[in-house]
Amino acid sequence: MTHHTLKATTETVHLGGFSHLLKPALMINSGDTIDVETFTGYYIYDKAPPEFLPPEFVDICQNLPAERKIAGGPHLLTGPIYVQDAEPGDVLEVRLEAIAPSLPVGFNAIRTGWGALPQQFTQPALRFIPLDLANNIAEFPANSGIKIPLTPFFGILGVATPQSDRNSIPPGNYGGNIDNRELQAGSRLFLPIYVPGALFSIGDGHSAQGDGEVNVTAIETSMNGRISLTLRKDLSLTTPIAETPTDIITMGFAETLDAALEQALKNMIAFLQDFANLSAEEAYVLCSLAVNFRITQVVNSPHKGVHGMLPKSIFSPKMSL
């Protein structure tokens, strides 16, 4: 296994979406680890304070080549990473080993027409929020005494598909803009692979987010991480599944929360049938008894997200993928 460093530059990031036509930023073997750098705030960099603007980020915002701008989404992603021997039908295991903000500031933005209450909060608003990295908190509002623990994660973890201009806003079976705050350091995400090499990209760092992400954004943060990418030819998945130290997580993405819940539930039932040898009815009952279904996000139009959390502790021996 080899360790790599992938810095964010005009040649290693792409904006706005996923495409199998993009030149890989890095080629690795299964099991390799990568220290990866990500930036966020491409569309607001001209309004940002100096501490939000390292020279490398400014260079990206001013000089990103046109061929690395995809589908018009707002997210700046590092990648894609090509995994040798990855083929459609395989599964990519993404192990999140370390995640940390790279700058002592993040931002939150209300966008007109977006969010859970677009008719009530009609005016755009941009706030830069200092991060106390030494104490791992953000105080909001400033001097309020309200201290939010930092729980950093990457909002976007996804692979390319045969569609060459997939917008970065909606999540899907390829992963993408999942915005699941459970995917912190120590967790793993399993993604179906659709194209040779997988072409994995990562970004949209969040220092803190509530379930729902109701006003469109979290504390959006340029983020560094250490990940490992491993091919799992022993697994067969059609939708993402995650594993944290305590839970197995299935996901549902749909235009309504009801439909997203239904999908997350069906995915959990299928998981329990395949990995716990339960009947469909037994799995359905177990979901009602022990699985916690939570709103992931309600703002990544057109797909809202719901995830189901299955405690690993109820299994003997303890379950793991």
Side-chain angles (χ1 to χ4, degrees), residues 29 65 268 302 308:
N29 292 313
M268 184 62 78

Side-chain angles (χ1 to χ4, degrees), residues 14-83:
H14 54 102
L15 175 70
F18 294 82
S19 173
H20 67 285
L21 301 178
L22 280 170
K23 178 182 177 181
L26 179 68
M27 300 185 74
I28 69 165
N29 292 313
S30 174
D32 286 357
T33 59
I34 309 107
D35 282 338
V36 62
E37 179 180 56
T38 70
F39 289 120
T40 195
Y42 181 89
Y43 284 110
I44 55 89
Y45 91 96
D46 57 343
K47 304 177 182 66
E51 59 268 28
F52 192 80
L53 299 172
E56 301 87 350
F57 176 49
V58 175
D59 184 46
I60 289 169
C61 293
Q62 295 179 345
N63 300 305
L64 187 67
E67 62 268 20
R68 299 194 73 84
K69 299 178 181 179
I70 311 295
H75 303 101
L76 194 63
L77 306 176
T78 302
I81 300 170
Y82 186 103
V83 184

Side-chain angles (χ1 to χ4, degrees), residues 22-262:
L22 280 170
K23 178 182 177 181
L26 179 68
M27 300 185 74
I28 69 165
N29 292 313
S30 174
D32 286 357
T33 59
I34 309 107
D35 282 338
V36 62
E37 179 180 56
T38 70
F39 289 120
T40 195
Y42 181 89
Y43 284 110
I44 55 89
Y45 91 96
D46 57 343
K47 304 177 182 66
E51 59 268 28
F52 192 80
L53 299 172
E56 301 87 350
F57 176 49
V58 175
D59 184 46
I60 289 169
C61 293
Q62 295 179 345
N63 300 305
L64 187 67
E67 62 268 20
R68 299 194 73 84
K69 299 178 181 179
I70 311 295
H75 303 101
L76 194 63
L77 306 176
T78 302
I81 300 170
Y82 186 103
V83 184
Q84 300 282 6
D85 301 322
E87 297 292 342
D90 295 342
V91 170
L92 184 66
E93 176 184 329
V94 183
R95 184 184 294 269
L96 299 161
E97 298 185 2
I99 308 171
S102 60
L103 303 173
V105 61
F107 74 90
N108 178 272
I110 298 173
R111 298 176 62 189
T112 299
W114 290 73
L117 299 173
Q119 295 180 343
Q120 180 174 349
F121 297 93
T122 59
Q123 297 301 310
L126 175 63
R127 291 176 170 85
F128 289 90
I129 301 173
L131 307 178
D132 182 346
L133 300 182
N135 294 302
N136 206 40
I137 58 170
E139 186 172 4
F140 180 81
N143 304 313
S144 66
I146 301 173
K147 297 180 180 180
I148 304 167
L150 302 186
T151 52
F153 68 97
F154 293 103
I156 295 184
L157 307 116
V159 296
T161 71
Q163 182 179 332
S164 62
D165 59 348
R166 187 176 292 279
N167 193 287
S168 64
I169 293 176
N173 290 340
Y174 58 95
N177 196 19
I178 298 172
D179 280 342
N180 190 322
R181 70 183 184 92
E182 303 294 339
L183 300 182
Q184 297 169 27
S187 64
R188 296 185 292 164
L189 177 65
F190 301 83
L191 297 171
I193 292 174
Y194 296 92
V195 299
L199 296 178
F200 172 81
S201 296
I202 185 170
D204 191 30
H206 295 171
S207 280
Q209 178 197 294
D211 285 335
E213 198 185 19
V214 294
N215 88 328
V216 183
T217 52
I219 301 181
E220 308 288 322
T221 312
S222 293
M223 198 77 71
N224 292 338
R226 174 170 290 185
I227 63 174
S228 66
L229 300 179
T230 302
L231 291 180
R232 294 292 301 268
K233 292 181 180 286
D234 60 318
L235 296 178
S236 178
L237 299 176
T238 58
T239 62
I241 289 178
E243 181 177 351
T244 73
T246 58
D247 293 88
I248 300 292
I249 302 175
T250 61
M251 307 174 198
F253 310 114
E255 293 187 7
T256 68
L257 283 176
D258 284 348
L261 169 61
E262 182 177 320

Side-chain angles (χ1 to χ4, degrees), residues 238-308:
T238 58
T239 62
I241 289 178
E243 181 177 351
T244 73
T246 58
D247 293 88
I248 300 292
I249 302 175
T250 61
M251 307 174 198
F253 310 114
E255 293 187 7
T256 68
L257 283 176
D258 284 348
L261 169 61
E262 182 177 320
Q263 192 60 56
L265 173 57
K266 287 181 176 179
N267 289 341
M268 184 62 78
I269 290 171
F271 173 83
L272 288 167
Q273 288 180 272
D274 291 341
F275 291 89
N277 297 316
L278 300 184
S279 70
E281 183 175 291
E282 289 170 333
Y284 185 39
V285 173
L286 185 61
C287 286
S288 194
L289 302 181
V291 178
N292 298 303
F293 289 92
R294 298 176 178 172
I295 296 172
T296 318
Q297 55 76 25
V298 297
V299 295
N300 294 333
S301 180
H303 286 165
K304 304 178 189 300
V306 169
H307 59 279

